[in-house]
Amino acid sequence: MKRQTFQVPNISCGHCVRTIERELQALEGVRRIAGDPGGKSVTVEWEAPADEETIRARLRAIGYPPT
């Protein structure tokens, strides 16, 4: 299983984190998401068929592009 923390400057509150969690959880292979509005980051754990680019693409698509 892979794990990565993405910096997401557009996160400003718990609602943002819940939106990201809901959207990423819909990706097959994503196992755990932990958002941190204070740190403007989200940590994701996944396995195949999910991959880093798929996660980044979903974050961009929902208006939370990672840096």
Side-chain angles (χ1 to χ4, degrees):
M1 188 168 318
K2 295 196 176 207
R3 178 181 183 185
Q4 183 167 337
T5 299
F6 299 89
Q7 294 303 309
V8 185
N10 291 353
I11 293 177
S12 60
C13 64
H15 180 264
C16 298
V17 170
R18 286 189 297 279
T19 298
I20 290 169
E21 288 174 345
R22 181 182 67 242
E23 291 289 330
L24 293 183
Q25 198 64 50
L27 295 174
E28 188 177 351
V30 171
R31 298 294 174 234
R32 185 172 179 274
I33 304 119
D36 177 8
K40 297 189 179 286
S41 66
V42 61
T43 301
V44 184
E45 292 182 10
W46 74 89
E47 58 192 21
D51 60 23
E52 180 180 345
E53 187 48 45
T54 302
I55 293 165
R56 286 182 177 277
R58 178 63 62 97
L59 288 169
R60 285 190 299 270
I62 64 171
Y64 296 97
T67 58

